[in-house]
Amino acid sequence: MECDEPKYHVSEPMPAEPGQAFLLCSDGLWENIEEDQMEACLKKSANPMSD
C-alpha cells in the first residue's frame, strides 16, 4: 500500500517507574499478535534484559 505521507502517533511523555519496561513494536509484530499475547510474553521475563 502506498501513502502520501508517513503516519505515526506521538503520545504524551510517561513518567518512568522502577521495574518498568517498554516494548517497541513494528507493524510486523503488533498486527499479527494480540495484546494479551504480548502481555503474557512480557510477564514471563524477570527483567528487560532476560530472554
Side-chain angles (χ1 to χ4, degrees):
M1 173 187 343
E2 293 183 33
C3 70
D4 296 329
E5 59 186 68
K7 295 181 181 181
Y8 55 89
H9 174 78
V10 178
S11 64
E12 295 297 319
M14 295 176 57
E17 297 179 15
Q20 187 176 39
F22 294 90
L23 176 64
L24 302 177
C25 303
S26 70
D27 59 353
L29 177 68
W30 63 259
E31 283 187 348
N32 298 306
I33 299 177
E34 298 293 327
E35 285 184 35
D36 58 336
Q37 292 174 303
M38 282 189 256
E39 186 176 343
C41 289
L42 287 171
K43 286 182 177 180
K44 289 180 183 179
S45 178
N47 65 64
M49 300 305 288
S50 295
D51 292 342

